[in-house]
Amino acid sequence: MSKEILSQEEIDRLLSAFSSGEVTVEEMRETRQAGKHKVYDFRRPNKFSKDQLKHLQTLHDNFARILSSYLSGYLRATVAVHASSVEQYTFDEFMRSVPTPTVLTVFSLKPLKGVAVLETNAEFLFPIIDLLLGGPGALPEKVRELTEIELALARKFSGKLLESLRLAWHDIYRVEPAVESIETNPRLQRIISPGDVVAVITFQSSLNNAAAGPINLCLPHSLLEPVLANLTSYRQYGVALESGEMEREQVADWLQGATVNLSVVVGETVITVRDFVQLQEGDVLPLGRRFKQDLDLFIEDELKYKVQAGILGRFMAVQITSLAEAGD
């Protein structure tokens, strides 16, 4: 006799389903038989537990946030990345699911032993390359193989992505990502044994509010084994770990990579076109500014500071004296 006892409400619902024809006796028997066993494929053992996959999801949610902020500043475009799924496969299954052409970045995570793979889909990479070359970030009409110049840009760009991975892992395990090789044909990749179990984190992305291609991060179990024990504490205290030193390091990296235009206005004057075309070396123009009066320092064409001119070593320089006031 079964140890499970149905409540009166459950019995009433079951009888109602039988009488209405929604459920038959045969279906109930099949459902009961199906619940007695669970299919297990010995050719693909599950080395990652469900809990570990959840921890990896949490860790790489943070990676996606860092990546979104970094790429938006680096490309000067609206980039959004989020981790959509974390699954385990054999490496052969992952390789067979990857489209051609694509860009596979094989990288190491020192001091961890082994290598991992970052797959950047062509639909994601081509608009990025177009932006880096001064274009609007458009996808070509036909997906094609990358040129040598595009591959060189892809290798450098992959290094930028992996730098964000280092920041995301900072409080879990200190790693130093390094690009080992770049490949465009997944059928030629044999850097990991086909039967090895890997965790595949899939990221969905958008560029300027338009859907872009996915990014896949393939991490072998043998590579992650020393890290898995540290993920539990990150899962519990992940919010606190995002602040402090890690946050300061992220901000410092973003600021160092920012490029801004600075310009100093020494003074202004008005002359006629006739005088302008007759200007020669050595001519003097009155600028309407008193001696030692502060100059204007513009950042990206916006007045921000008052400065004094001077010399620093062999170079002309300015020293900031105050913030520019409203109305200057």
Side-chain angles (χ1 to χ4, degrees):
M1 175 180 270
S2 173
K3 294 182 180 180
E4 297 179 356
I5 300 175
L6 298 179
S7 66
Q8 186 60 48
E9 183 181 355
E10 291 171 332
I11 293 172
D12 292 339
R13 285 204 304 265
L14 185 59
L15 292 174
S16 176
F18 274 127
S19 60
S20 63
E22 294 178 6
V23 178
T24 64
V25 176
E26 288 74 21
E27 288 176 344
M28 289 291 295
R29 287 174 178 171
E30 289 174 3
T31 303
R32 189 174 180 84
Q33 290 296 327
K36 289 185 177 180
H37 65 275
K38 181 180 179 181
V39 177
Y40 186 84
D41 188 352
F42 286 92
R43 293 171 298 181
R44 198 185 81 179
N46 294 329
K47 290 193 174 182
F48 293 98
S49 67
K50 289 184 179 181
D51 211 31
Q52 289 171 339
L53 293 178
K54 288 180 180 179
H55 296 340
L56 286 173
Q57 175 92 34
T58 302
L59 175 61
H60 291 94
D61 280 340
N62 186 36
F63 169 60
R65 287 193 293 271
I66 295 172
L67 202 57
S68 299
S69 300
Y70 175 77
L71 292 180
S72 296
Y74 180 67
L75 300 172
R76 296 190 178 184
T78 304
V79 181
V81 181
H82 70 276
S84 60
S85 66
V86 180
E87 301 289 345
Q88 60 179 318
Y89 304 98
T90 62
F91 184 67
D92 182 60
E93 288 174 329
F94 170 66
M95 284 291 102
R96 284 192 275 110
S97 68
V98 172
T100 303
T102 189
V103 173
L104 296 171
T105 304
V106 181
F107 64 96
S108 59
L109 287 170
K110 301 296 184 184
L112 297 177
K113 295 180 180 179
V115 293
V117 176
L118 176 69
E119 188 258 329
T120 44
N121 194 276
E123 293 181 2
F124 169 79
L125 200 56
F126 272 114
I128 299 294
I129 292 176
D130 190 50
L131 279 173
L132 292 174
L133 294 176
L139 184 69
E141 295 181 1
K142 184 178 180 181
V143 177
R144 52 171 174 77
E145 294 285 348
L146 275 73
T147 64
E148 291 297 325
I149 293 177
E150 289 170 338
L151 276 176
L153 287 172
R155 184 185 182 99
K156 182 178 179 181
F157 180 69
S158 296
K160 299 288 186 182
L161 299 184
L162 295 176
E163 181 63 21
S164 296
L165 185 66
R166 179 183 69 83
L167 293 174
W169 282 40
H170 184 274
D171 288 297
I172 299 300
Y173 204 94
R174 301 205 175 202
V175 294
E176 290 298 331
V179 176
E180 301 294 332
S181 64
I182 293 284
E183 181 59 65
T184 57
N185 189 344
R187 309 297 177 261
L188 301 179
Q189 278 296 335
R190 290 294 179 267
I191 41 89
I192 300 174
S193 175
D196 283 0
V197 176
V198 296
V200 178
I201 303 100
T202 300
F203 301 89
Q204 298 297 333
S205 64
S206 64
L207 179 62
N208 290 330
N209 299 318
I215 308 168
N216 287 308
L217 185 61
C218 173
L219 302 170
H221 181 271
S222 56
L223 177 79
L224 288 178
E225 202 165 5
V227 182
L228 294 176
N230 296 356
L231 288 176
T232 303
S233 59
Y234 180 83
R235 176 78 173 177
Q236 295 174 351
Y237 308 108
V239 176
L241 293 175
E242 291 176 9
S243 58
E245 182 183 349
M246 177 181 176
E247 189 173 297
R248 288 194 295 272
E249 188 174 347
Q250 292 173 12
V251 173
D253 283 351
W254 295 335
L255 290 176
Q256 289 173 4
T259 301
V260 294
N261 295 319
L262 304 180
S263 56
V264 177
V265 177
V266 178
E268 297 176 342
T269 189
V270 177
I271 61 174
T272 64
V273 175
R274 178 179 298 175
D275 291 339
F276 176 73
V277 297
Q278 293 178 355
L279 284 176
Q280 297 180 1
E281 186 178 351
D283 289 347
V284 177
L285 290 174
L287 297 179
R289 191 182 293 269
R290 296 190 303 275
F291 178 64
K292 289 190 176 181
Q293 183 180 352
D294 286 345
L295 309 180
D296 296 330
L297 173 62
F298 289 80
I299 299 179
E300 298 291 347
D301 299 326
E302 186 173 346
L303 178 59
K304 287 292 185 181
Y305 300 102
K306 294 294 186 177
V307 299
Q308 282 288 328
I311 296 177
L312 181 63
R314 297 182 295 107
F315 302 98
M316 298 179 65
V318 293
Q319 182 179 23
I320 294 175
T321 58
S322 65
L323 289 169
E325 298 178 0
D328 284 337

